[in-house]
Amino acid sequence: DAKTTQPNSMESNEEEPVHLPCNHSTISGTDYIHWYRQLPSQGPEYVIHGLTSNVNNRMASLAIAEDRKSSTLILHRATLRDAAVYYCIRYNAGNMLTFGGGTRLMVKP
Amino acid sequence: EAEVAQSPRYKITEKSQAVAFWCDPISGHATLYWYRQILGQGPELLVQFQDESVVDDSQLPKDRFSAERLKGVDSTLKIQPAELGDSAMYLCASSKTGGGPNTEAFFGQGTRLTVV
């Protein structure tokens, strides 16, 4: 039970920002929010993670709601290579890195 | 750049045969994971190692699956006998010593198993 809820799929236009939502309403104080993505025929790839504060790295930004019950992965300019399944995962020391169904992002040229 | 190595990339086997997959994690990574991914679904954790010890194997079908990491470095996942329903991608991942939830996991390219 991954305990996160994501839309099954989303579409975006190339070079536009993409906001991928994730709901984790039962999150505990020690749960980190991780995002991974999986391109076709490849293993998952780490994107970003955070606990309470918003996080930025070269791939994306992670915005975590103040109550931590939801978060949003932000791709600032989508490219065709960003088309993948994006997984939002709650992860703490007591549970394993457990994947749910993810969001399939389609990027249109 | 360091990578998690898996072999073979593809494997076709007949049902009731034995099959094995190998994983070499990134050097120095004490935590190693094996996942199974059925087409169209997210990866499902089968077993997690910390060094040579099993941390969690609650989702590993122990009647036919076994996993070992004898020297705390590389690992082997075995299925015997294989069944048609075992057809899937088998993924290996590793993370740093003492990683836990504040550390990223690195995944290999996986082994695509087809049981016929």
Side-chain angles (χ1 to χ4, degrees), chain B residues 69-83:
Chain B
R69 194 183 183 198
L70 294 177
K71 297 182 179 179
V73 180
D74 59 337
S75 176
T76 302
L77 179 69
K78 297 179 182 176
I79 308 175
Q80 182 173 17
E83 296 180 352

Side-chain angles (χ1 to χ4, degrees), chain A residues 5-6 18 25 34 42 47 55 73 86 93 98 104 109:
Chain A
T5 303
Q6 299 177 254
V18 182
S25 58
H34 281 240
Q42 294 189 25
V47 178
V55 185
L73 179 70
Y86 287 78
T98 303
R104 182 172 297 280

Side-chain angles (χ1 to χ4, degrees), chain A:
Chain A
D1 182 4
K3 301 187 179 76
T4 63
T5 303
Q6 299 177 254
N8 288 334
S9 64
M10 291 184 63
E11 273 191 4
S12 172
N13 294 317
E14 194 176 13
E15 298 190 4
E16 290 186 356
V18 182
H19 291 230
L20 296 163
C22 181
N23 182 285
H24 29 80
S25 58
T26 59
I27 195 168
S28 74
T30 56
D31 287 346
Y32 282 79
I33 303 302
H34 281 240
W35 284 83
Y36 286 76
R37 72 178 186 181
Q38 188 171 25
L39 280 64
S41 301
Q42 294 189 25
E45 172 189 29
Y46 168 80
V47 178
I48 201 166
H49 78 280
L51 183 62
T52 56
S53 304
N54 294 345
V55 185
N56 300 292
N57 66 21
R58 64 175 180 82
M59 289 183 69
S61 295
L62 175 60
I64 301 174
E66 198 168 329
D67 63 6
R68 302 213 321 124
K69 293 184 177 182
S70 64
S71 61
T72 302
L73 179 70
I74 303 166
L75 307 179
H76 296 287
R77 286 182 70 227
T79 70
L80 296 179
R81 289 176 295 180
D82 290 323
V85 179
Y86 287 78
Y87 296 97
C88 168
I89 302 168
R90 286 172 48 183
Y91 188 25
N92 64 39
N95 67 284
M96 304 301 114
L97 188 61
T98 303
F99 288 75
T103 296
R104 182 172 297 280
L105 176 65
M106 292 167 280
V107 181
K108 297 182 292 184

Side-chain angles (χ1 to χ4, degrees), chain B residues 78-96:
Chain B
K78 297 179 182 176
I79 308 175
Q80 182 173 17
E83 296 180 352
L84 295 178
D86 296 331
S87 294
M89 175 78 84
Y90 290 83
L91 294 158
C92 179
S94 70
S95 62
K96 290 180 181 177

